[in-house]
Amino acid sequence: MQSLDDLLKHNRKWALDREGQDPGYFSRLAELQRPEYLWIGCADSRVPANVITGLEPGEVFVHRNVANLVHSGDINLLSVVEYAVQSLQVKHIIVCGHYGCGGIKAAMDGQRHGLIDHWLQPIRDVAEQHKSHLCAVADGDVRLNRLCELSIEAQVRSLSRTPIVQSAWKEGTDLHIHGWVYGLHDGMLRDLDCTVNGLTDAQPSAQANA
Ligand code: CO
């Protein structure tokens, strides 16, 4: 394990290298951020948004929480979304979950974990909605991974129905909400093909039922 001193040393080297390769890099970045993407991902340390997408500082605005959930009353997430949509004018919001998510597992293991059980409730709601589909999957890990995908799709729909996003679309804003899943085992991102592009897509009648 690296010590805190190692982290600070690494940082100094990184900053000097960056500035050496591209003089003025930091002063330009300090002036302005204009990311085109908002990333809503899991807090899991193995899924760092910038690293896995090859995006540089300034290119992606990031919000992460346990199991990448969109709670309609989460003032933290809503503040991030509002700022990203209204001020930064991001074009794409990516809700990204990952296979093998501990949050998904904890939601379904029938144990009491504490406060996190309240946080994970939307996952159990999704599992309930898709009960028959999920019960038909024999392998436990495959079932959890399927639930992971279904939860991401549900978060995309929840986000598309927030007043912030709805207002943006009513004003004609070009904004797309995508659901992606990341494989810890292979490092690959997959598009779940549940993109919501505007008010028509966000109608409840357009929801996928499985
Ligand atoms: Co996770």
Side-chain angles (χ1 to χ4, degrees):
M1 192 185 289
Q2 299 189 71
S3 71
L4 289 178
D5 268 350
D6 291 334
L7 305 190
L8 292 171
K9 260 184 233 157
H10 174 84
N11 164 259
R12 275 190 291 274
K13 184 180 177 324
W14 172 79
L16 289 169
D17 285 353
R18 263 298 158 97
E19 193 63 26
Q21 288 158 9
D22 185 1
Y25 176 78
F26 289 104
S27 49
R28 284 196 306 278
L29 256 189
E31 288 288 307
L32 186 68
Q33 64 164 337
R34 198 171 279 159
E36 285 198 10
Y37 310 100
L38 164 62
W39 176 277
I40 298 175
C42 183
D44 192 301
S45 65
R46 297 164 293 181
V47 197
N50 287 74
V51 176
I52 63 175
T53 55
L55 291 171
E56 294 292 327
E59 293 183 335
V60 58
F61 202 59
V62 175
H63 175 87
R64 291 166 69 180
N65 62 45
V66 174
N68 43 275
L69 295 176
V70 176
H71 282 258
S72 60
D74 179 358
I75 197 82
N76 183 355
L77 175 123
L78 294 174
S79 302
V80 167
V81 171
E82 185 175 81
Y83 184 70
V85 171
Q86 292 182 359
S87 300
L88 297 174
Q89 298 175 334
V90 298
K91 301 243 176 339
H92 302 275
I93 303 178
I94 299 156
V95 178
C96 185
H98 64 101
Y99 295 129
C101 182
I104 301 276
K105 218 173 284 174
M108 302 307 292
D109 68 5
Q111 310 285 312
R112 267 305 321 258
H113 304 280
L115 192 54
I116 193 78
D117 297 324
H118 297 276
W119 177 257
L120 297 174
Q121 185 57 39
I123 297 170
R124 285 188 289 275
D125 292 342
V126 172
E128 187 62 32
Q129 276 165 23
H130 299 273
K131 203 173 178 175
S132 54
H133 170 77
L134 290 167
C135 284
V137 182
D139 183 273
D141 288 338
V142 175
R143 197 182 314 123
L144 285 176
N145 285 342
R146 182 67 192 121
L147 174 58
C148 176
E149 295 171 347
L150 291 167
S151 173
I152 294 163
E153 290 169 17
Q155 309 317 309
V156 167
R157 289 196 297 275
S158 295
L159 191 57
S160 74
R161 291 199 293 270
T162 57
I164 299 162
V165 170
Q166 292 269 313
S167 301
W169 279 330
K170 276 182 196 141
E171 288 160 13
T173 306
D174 183 27
L175 177 67
H176 311 272
I177 308 179
H178 313 266
W180 289 3
V181 65
Y182 177 76
L184 292 177
H185 59 290
D186 63 3
M188 302 291 277
L189 282 165
R190 293 158 183 83
D191 187 344
L192 291 175
D193 224 4
C194 58
T195 303
V196 183
N197 297 296
L199 286 172
T200 318
D201 284 353
Q203 295 304 313
S205 59
Q207 285 179 36
N209 287 306

